[in-house]
Amino acid sequence: MKTIATTIIIAASALATATAATPVYLDENAPLEERVEDALSRMTLHEKVAMCHAEGKFASPGVARLGIPDLWMSDGPHGVRAEINWDNWGYANRTNDSITAFPALTALAATWNPALAEAYGNALGEEALYREKDVMLGPGVNIYRTPLNGRNFEYMGEDPFLAGELVVPYIKGMQQNGVAACVKHYALNNQELWRGHIDVELSDRALHEIYLPAFRRAVEEGKAWSIMGSYNKVRGQHACHNELLLNDILKGDWGFDGVVITDWGGAHDTREAALYGLDLEMGSYTNGLTSESDFTTDDYYLANAYEEALKKGELPMATLDDKVRRLLRLNFRTAMRRDKPYGALCTPEHYAVAEEIGNEAVVLLKNAPVSKKQGPLLPIDAAKYGRILVVGENATRNLMQGGGSSELKVKDAFTPLDGLRDLYGDKVVYAAGYKSGRPMYGHADIIPQHVEDSLRAEAVAMAREADLVIFVGGLNKNHAQDCEAGDREEYGLPFGQPRLIEELAKACPNIVVTLLSGNAVEMPWAKEVPAILQAWYLGTMTGKVVGNVLSGAVNPSGKLPFSFPARLEDCGAHSFGEIAYPGDSIKEQYLEDIFVGYRWHDTKKIPAAYPFGYGLSYTTFEVGKATASADRIAPDGTITVSVPVKNTGKVAGKETLQLYISDLESSLPRPVKELKAFEKVSLAPGEEKVVTFTITPEMLKFYSPEQKAWIAEPGKFKALVGTSSTDIKASHTFTL
């Protein structure tokens, strides 16, 4: 166990080596800033510099002489990563570091449920506490710009408001345990290809309206204690030491009082690191994950070279003291916090949180009758089927393996096949159908064509003898899929899955396609199958959740946190040639500007295959007319818009009403509409509730590049209430 220091006591023998200071003894009840200043005054130059860089792969030094403990960090956003060796990227192979894997953050975003985000953060914080971690490297709130981004599964979708609504309770839930959230990757880390150097160019409006709001809310409302910089450059400077992003916006405009941490290997220059907002350098002199070098931590940019420059007066001492104040503040909030509980690991309560998040995350994309004589295929009525064939590698694959830093070592892994066998017993038979290879980082196995053909032929032959086929496919954590350090190379499903699905559908019309992925995929086969579930990466409780939803034990209520374009070229980032994505290997221009996701589909009148906010249910809902408190809103006032929603079906369910605002008289181009509020309601059969949204002038603002401020222009607006970005049920026009 780490020692938790509650007082700073300097022995007489230590005073000889300490800087001049009166021995004042501050207990844990003293104001935080007094404790920080007291500790800072006692530190030597070398101790201060040492605090600013790593001493191991996931540790940074405290000051043993003063009783200040080291800080210990861990990946990742979905669970506490297995222990890594002190000085290399090998796993330590401990037997006590298996954990609960929570659903990936795309799944959390699909719940549209802030209460579950808080439960998620709290449970993960408890597991981090038990594993003696001070900083968890997550959550991620980079915006979903293209479905090819390999790390989209770690983020919260395409809309900054949705991401902000979920990241704030996640942070609060985690940090109430004395574990710091490290919100990442700040900023513009929206692809993995060339991530270490690609230089992003974008407008001020796109920066402030799309890519920064979730980070801003994480800081201003969530009070995040740390932020991780991203690998890429932004307007010519690396994001981990970027004057605009870190000094001007994060620490200046937003008043961030926490620690800026590099992504591993994200620092590139001592002077820039000293001056432009970086506080703690981690992982330099590696490529961030796999390669090593002969350099030591003394060779980090914020190590010996920094100390020498400070001694020579080449760099200001004030920047060092600012960094150390922030690091001490983080230490007092985490490692030196006296009242922390012990935490818990793999408890029934944590499994229940993971299952509940999964239950509300699954999105029912399609549910049609197989013939005119029957109703929708789902939920499965087991009495109708004698032989149920489960097809697909993802029905048995451990999807917590691979993916890079989000890889997890789980205590239990309940697969979809496990869940279906628990429900339907001997009725269930299995065929792999396809093979993807080992979970690897940086490269992937090549599957011989004859293997692919053989597995497909076997599955199709078995489908001809089945009464129901449940296909469980999608992506996985292999390189060039949902994996760090590489983007996807195709929008369609890999490993021959499209052909396999089409042939299975011909062999057995009663087929359900269940996709486990963190990204949208192309679905040219969708018209051939009656039912489609988007089930994400669901972690430990994957099998239980899939069984819950397919069987009807849980009525699906997930809503898409990003659009599913019908074709890749329908996505804004792919509409301007390679300079917009992936760039020319040096620079990249975000030419779609503020029109990301549904904003692009709406404005360009390009329908998505499945739109943002979309998700079906096993019941039906009726949304009534809107009633408003007024037709005009004052610059300092509010109005309310109320809409009734009724469950008109036969089973209990949850519906998410979404409020969008449309600016009808803007001086600058604006999206057709933008999400500004939402509420998820639970309704019994026949039950009706009224959902009321309060509209404020803040919701009407856009970023003015001329004024460098958020402004709301007088004029007409329309409030639009719907069940997706394209299914608007009620509206109200009003004037500012």
Side-chain angles (χ1 to χ4, degrees):
M1 297 288 287
K2 299 195 303 294
T3 302
I4 299 177
T6 60
T7 59
I8 300 173
I9 302 173
I10 299 182
S13 61
L15 286 174
T17 59
T19 54
T22 303
V24 178
Y25 303 95
L26 297 179
D27 65 27
E28 70 277 3
N29 295 315
L32 174 63
E33 296 307 315
E34 287 186 20
R35 300 175 72 196
V36 167
E37 293 302 321
D38 178 70
L40 181 68
S41 71
R42 300 168 186 271
M43 293 173 64
T44 66
L45 174 63
H46 183 74
E47 288 168 342
K48 291 178 182 179
V49 172
M51 229 183 202
C52 296
H53 63 83
E55 62 179 353
K57 288 300 179 192
F58 285 92
S60 65
V63 185
R65 181 180 64 84
L66 299 180
I68 301 172
D70 299 342
L71 287 173
W72 289 82
M73 308 171 199
S74 179
D75 292 313
H78 314 132
V80 188
R81 193 178 184 184
E83 293 299 328
I84 302 294
N85 290 332
W86 177 258
D87 61 351
N88 64 61
W89 285 105
Y91 282 106
N93 296 318
R94 295 187 183 178
T95 59
N96 63 347
D97 57 352
S98 298
I99 49 78
T100 305
F102 296 92
L105 291 188
T106 43
L108 176 62
T111 69
W112 291 59
N113 189 333
L116 288 181
E118 182 175 10
Y120 191 128
N122 178 67
L124 182 51
E126 290 178 344
E127 299 225 342
L129 268 181
Y130 191 88
R131 289 275 305 279
E132 298 185 298
K133 306 302 179 187
D134 304 305
V135 180
M136 284 299 295
L137 304 176
V141 290
N142 293 100
I143 292 298
Y144 189 110
R145 178 175 179 253
T146 163
L148 299 189
N149 180 13
R151 295 187 88 170
N152 276 335
F153 71 97
E154 296 187 40
Y155 304 141
M156 297 189 188
E158 72 186 25
D159 185 78
F161 178 80
L162 175 62
E165 283 291 285
L166 296 173
V167 75
V168 169
Y170 179 114
I171 292 167
K172 290 181 177 179
M174 176 174 287
Q175 292 188 168
Q176 68 186 356
N177 293 287
V179 175
C182 185
V183 184
K184 62 184 189 182
H185 300 90
Y186 183 76
L188 286 306
N189 185 185
N190 303 308
Q191 68 189 62
E192 290 299 285
L193 181 63
W194 304 319
R195 65 176 181 172
H197 65 270
I198 194 72
D199 189 359
V200 175
E201 296 286 349
L202 78 168
S203 72
D204 283 344
R205 285 193 68 195
L207 180 67
H208 287 277
E209 292 187 25
I210 303 298
Y211 297 102
L212 291 188
F215 286 105
R216 180 174 185 173
R217 294 188 65 185
V219 170
E220 293 184 340
E221 297 176 45
K223 307 297 182 183
W225 294 337
S226 60
I227 292 280
M228 182 188 290
S230 59
Y231 283 126
N232 50 283
K233 291 181 178 179
V234 178
R235 296 180 179 173
Q237 281 187 329
H238 276 96
C240 283
H241 33 74
N242 187 289
E243 187 171 18
L244 171 67
L245 291 180
L246 300 179
N247 285 354
D248 297 346
I249 296 176
L250 178 67
K251 295 180 176 180
D253 296 344
W254 301 349
F256 177 62
D257 71 352
V259 171
V260 174
I261 303 173
T262 64
D263 206 336
W264 269 229
H268 298 271
D269 181 84
T270 295
R271 182 178 179 277
E272 288 197 2
L275 297 178
Y276 298 146
L278 177 62
D279 300 312
L280 176 57
E281 178 185 2
M282 300 296 295
S284 289
Y285 295 102
T286 77
N287 69 358
L289 190 66
T290 56
S291 73
E292 301 300 331
S293 71
D294 294 330
F295 291 90
T296 71
T297 53
D298 287 339
D299 299 296
Y300 278 28
Y301 295 104
L302 287 182
N304 287 358
Y306 186 30
E307 186 169 346
E308 288 303 310
L310 288 163
K311 288 178 179 177
K312 294 176 182 178
E314 297 172 351
L315 290 170
M317 200 68 69
T319 61
L320 173 64
D321 284 347
D322 180 70
K323 297 178 197 302
V324 177
R325 282 189 181 93
R326 293 170 181 275
L327 287 158
L328 287 168
R329 196 176 290 128
L330 177 61
N331 207 305
F332 282 122
R333 286 167 166 168
T334 59
M336 293 184 72
R337 178 172 164 176
R338 180 179 175 82
D339 61 346
K340 289 194 298 186
Y342 289 106
L345 199 68
C346 299
T347 63
E349 292 80 8
H350 290 178
Y351 281 16
V353 168
E355 183 178 349
E356 186 177 5
I357 293 166
N359 286 342
E360 293 202 20
V362 174
V363 180
L364 180 60
L365 295 179
K366 183 178 181 181
N367 192 21
V370 176
S371 69
K372 295 180 180 180
K373 296 181 180 180
Q374 64 184 64
L377 184 61
L378 295 177
I380 294 169
D381 182 353
K384 291 182 178 179
Y385 307 109
R387 184 180 176 90
I388 299 175
L389 173 64
V390 177
V391 179
E393 186 186 67
N394 278 359
T396 61
R397 189 180 181 93
N398 181 352
L399 292 171
M400 282 69 80
Q401 293 180 343
S405 59
S406 66
E407 183 172 70
L408 295 172
K409 177 181 175 182
V410 293
K411 178 177 178 291
D412 297 297
F414 302 107
T415 68
L417 186 59
D418 294 333
L420 293 167
R421 281 179 170 159
D422 286 345
L423 287 168
Y424 305 121
D426 293 341
K427 288 185 176 184
V428 174
V429 293
Y430 173 71
Y434 70 93
K435 184 180 178 67
S436 69
R438 296 165 294 173
M440 291 187 292
Y441 176 93
H443 63 284
D445 286 333
I446 303 298
I447 307 302
Q449 187 63 48
H450 73 273
V451 173
E452 184 177 297
D453 293 343
S454 175
L455 291 172
R456 183 178 64 253
E458 177 191 35
V460 172
M462 294 175 68
R464 294 191 186 101
E465 305 300 320
D467 300 303
L468 173 69
V469 173
I470 302 173
F471 177 77
V472 185
L475 306 177
N476 58 38
K477 304 291 186 62
N478 282 9
H479 175 67
Q481 294 191 60
D482 285 327
C483 184
E484 183 180 358
D487 283 348
R488 296 169 64 193
E489 296 172 356
E490 59 180 330
Y491 184 37
L493 288 172
F495 317 121
Q497 291 178 79
R499 181 178 174 184
L500 173 60
I501 292 169
E502 290 174 352
E503 293 191 14
L504 289 171
K506 291 177 182 177
C508 180
N510 295 322
I511 180 172
V512 182
V513 173
T514 301
L515 299 175
L516 305 182
S517 75
N519 254 312
V521 299
E522 189 175 32
M523 301 185 194
W525 40 263
K527 61 183 179 297
E528 309 296 333
V529 300
I532 306 172
L533 285 181
Q534 175 61 35
W536 318 108
Y537 298 122
L538 298 173
T540 291
M541 302 303 289
T542 298
K544 187 67 161 54
V545 170
V546 169
N548 287 344
V549 175
L550 287 175
S551 68
V554 166
N555 188 350
S557 63
K559 298 283 187 175
L560 291 180
F562 48 80
S563 309
F564 276 48
R567 307 170 304 162
L568 187 61
E569 53 266 36
D570 292 345
C571 174
H574 295 271
S575 298
F576 298 93
E578 291 187 357
I579 194 61
Y581 176 87
D584 63 4
S585 83
I586 303 299
K587 286 188 178 293
E588 182 179 27
Q589 299 175 14
Y590 283 19
L591 296 177
E592 75 279 15
D593 200 48
I594 61 173
F595 299 102
V596 176
Y598 69 89
R599 291 166 168 83
W600 174 266
H601 291 287
D602 284 351
T603 304
K604 299 298 180 179
K605 296 182 171 59
I606 301 173
Y610 298 102
F612 175 80
Y614 172 86
L616 302 176
S617 172
Y618 293 153
T619 190
T620 54
F621 299 98
E622 181 180 277
V623 179
K625 293 183 178 181
T627 57
S629 61
D631 294 331
R632 301 178 67 86
I633 179 173
D636 58 351
T638 64
I639 63 171
T640 60
V641 174
S642 298
V643 179
V645 56
K646 183 177 183 179
N647 183 343
T648 56
K650 298 180 180 179
V651 296
K654 296 178 181 179
E655 180 60 289
T656 301
L657 292 190
Q658 303 157 36
L659 172 70
Y660 298 85
I661 298 292
S662 179
D663 187 344
L664 304 179
E665 298 180 345
S666 175
S667 63
L668 292 179
R670 298 196 69 179
V672 172
K673 57 181 175 294
E674 295 182 281
L675 182 71
K676 295 299 180 181
F678 60 86
E679 185 169 337
K680 193 168 192 174
V681 292
S682 181
L683 296 166
E687 185 179 8
E688 180 176 284
K689 292 181 179 178
V690 175
V691 174
T692 298
F693 296 108
T694 299
I695 298 174
T696 68
E698 193 71 24
M699 295 179 177
L700 313 181
K701 291 182 177 181
F702 63 90
Y703 187 83
S704 167
E706 289 187 359
Q707 300 182 40
K708 297 188 182 303
W710 288 84
I711 64 170
E713 296 177 328
K716 289 185 178 180
F717 295 81
K718 182 176 285 189
L720 306 164
V721 179
T723 57
S724 80
S725 61
T726 61
D727 190 12
I728 302 302
K729 304 290 190 180
S731 66
H732 175 70
T733 302
F734 62 96
T735 301
L736 174 65

